[in-house]
């Protein structure tokens, strides 16, 4: 199991330059909103804020109300122990999400680049030329130095970099699926953890407010990882776990290719 250290940070300074996997915690004033909170107001209270971090990458955050710094430290220690079995899978899933994000950005910049280039070819406007150069620069920034050196055409460069990122995301999801703890024995991904940058559509979020967004985000990555090779072992357990995390049957079917009738049969077998 991954070792997760627990580190206190001050209320006004959450900077952390450490390495390894850490739960950073601070005790102080928390502010939040609920569906019942007026638009111009906030709920406030004293509590503990947690941040699960691996090197410089944030894997998740969590907050809980508590009355003292002692209680806050106890909560942080307990939360670190609960989340530790999931850390390797969360690291890999985070890498896959970042690869997806970069691939999406490259695709977007390529569309903008070609549109600006066509405008410049038609009108020879200096503003269009500047936009061409701006989008080409972003594409080169998202590509590796080796890719940029080999491909001078931004469109071809985007194709090569995009293909690399797609393969990298797939490999990361395979690692996440291989490193996840026994889903039957570890139903929860800690308590109250939220994904640091949940770019998933709200349709992935759990309908039950007691379930965590981080668990739903991880479930989506595991389903995508399973769909790459479709191993028979572990499929039903993953389907049940993802459904319990709030992923709808329609989304499980879309992400995995498993028929709705098969999902119904698998889920109906559960108590």
């Amino acid at each position: 199991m991954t070792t997760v250290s627990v580190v206190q940070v001050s209320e006004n300074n959450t900077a952390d330059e450490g390495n390894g996997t850490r739960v950073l915690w601070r005790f102080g004033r928390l502010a939040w909103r609920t569906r019942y909170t007026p638009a111009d107001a906030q709920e406030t209270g004293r509590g503990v804020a947690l941040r699960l971090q691996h090197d410089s990458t944030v894997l998740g955050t969590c907050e809980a109300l508590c009355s003292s710094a002692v209680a806050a430290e106890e909560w942080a220690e307990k939360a670190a122990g609960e989340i530790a079995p999931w850390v390797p899978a969360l690291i890999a899933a985070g890498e896959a999400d970042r690869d997806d994000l970069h691939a999406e950005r490259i695709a977007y910049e390529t569309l903008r680049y070609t549109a600006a280039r066509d405008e410049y070819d038609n009108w020879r406007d200096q503003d269009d030329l500047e936009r061409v150069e701006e989008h080409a620069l972003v594409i080169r920034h998202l590509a590796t130095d080796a890719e940029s050196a080999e491909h001078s055409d931004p469109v071809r460069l985007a194709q090569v970099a995009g293909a690399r990122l797609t393969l990298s995301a797939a490999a990361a999801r395979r690692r996440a699926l291989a490193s996840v703890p026994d889903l039957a024995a570890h139903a929860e991904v800690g308590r109250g953890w939220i994904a640091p940058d949940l770019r998933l559509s709200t349709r992935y979020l759990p309908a039950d407010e007691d379930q965590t967004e981080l668990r739903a985000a991880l479930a989506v990555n595991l389903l995508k990882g399973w769909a790459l090779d479709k191993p028979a072992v572990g499929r039903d357990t993953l389907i049940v776990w993802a459904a319990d995390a709030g992923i709808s049957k329609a989304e499980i079917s879309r992400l995995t290719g498993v028929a709705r009738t098969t999902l119904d049969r698998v889920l109906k077998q559960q108590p």
Side-chain angles (χ1 to χ4, degrees):
M1 182 186 298
T2 302
T3 300
V4 180
S5 58
V6 179
V7 180
Q8 182 180 10
V9 294
S10 68
E11 185 171 357
N12 298 321
N13 180 18
T14 59
D16 175 68
E17 303 298 334
N19 295 320
T21 306
R22 309 171 304 290
V23 166
L24 309 178
W25 70 274
R26 68 171 181 84
F27 173 71
R29 178 181 177 274
L30 302 179
W32 67 92
R33 297 177 55 80
T34 71
R35 67 180 65 179
Y36 307 108
T37 306
D40 59 347
Q42 286 182 324
E43 309 286 342
T44 61
R46 302 288 283 177
V48 59
L50 310 179
R51 186 170 70 200
L52 177 64
Q53 190 163 319
H54 179 73
D55 294 337
S56 61
T57 301
V58 177
L59 303 178
T61 59
C62 181
E63 294 181 349
L65 295 177
C66 58
S67 58
S68 68
V70 172
E73 184 174 13
E74 291 175 352
W75 180 276
E77 293 282 357
K78 187 172 184 178
E82 290 174 343
I83 201 72
W86 300 93
V87 166
L90 291 171
I91 292 172
E95 292 172 356
D97 282 339
R98 286 192 295 278
D99 287 338
D100 282 349
L101 180 62
H102 290 161
E104 291 167 8
R105 180 67 186 275
I106 284 180
Y108 170 79
E109 293 296 338
T110 304
L111 291 175
R112 297 295 300 273
Y113 168 83
T114 55
R117 184 190 59 187
D118 292 345
E119 284 294 305
Y120 178 73
D121 289 343
N122 290 333
W123 300 99
R124 296 292 167 176
D125 187 282
Q126 185 63 29
D127 289 342
D128 291 328
L129 179 58
E130 291 178 359
R131 284 194 291 272
V132 169
E133 294 171 347
E134 288 172 2
H135 296 305
L137 183 62
V138 175
I139 292 171
R140 292 191 188 97
H141 176 72
L142 293 170
T144 65
D145 291 341
E147 290 166 346
S148 296
E150 184 175 355
H151 303 283
S152 58
D153 175 32
V155 174
R156 178 56 183 158
L157 177 60
Q159 292 172 342
V160 171
R164 170 182 55 80
L165 288 165
T166 298
L167 291 175
S168 179
R173 290 192 169 99
R174 288 188 175 98
R175 291 198 302 275
L177 191 63
S179 60
V180 78
D182 182 359
L183 297 179
H186 296 78
E188 294 292 337
V189 184
R191 293 178 296 173
W193 288 96
I194 299 172
D197 180 18
L198 196 61
R199 298 182 301 104
L200 305 172
S201 165
T202 54
R203 67 178 178 270
Y204 292 133
L205 299 181
D208 186 343
E209 292 182 350
D210 291 334
Q211 295 175 344
T212 69
E213 293 177 354
L214 182 58
R215 184 185 179 195
L218 179 60
V220 170
N221 269 303
L222 295 179
L223 290 168
K224 289 180 177 180
W226 181 88
L228 293 169
D229 305 306
K230 299 186 185 303
V233 177
R235 184 199 68 175
D236 291 2
T237 301
L238 176 59
I239 287 173
V240 172
W241 187 83
D244 192 49
I247 311 302
S248 69
K249 287 189 289 186
E251 289 303 325
I252 294 175
S253 179
R254 187 185 70 82
L255 291 168
T256 62
V258 176
R260 290 287 296 273
T261 53
T262 301
L263 295 179
D264 289 338
R265 175 180 55 78
V266 170
L267 295 173
K268 194 173 295 184
Q269 292 173 352
Q270 301 304 307

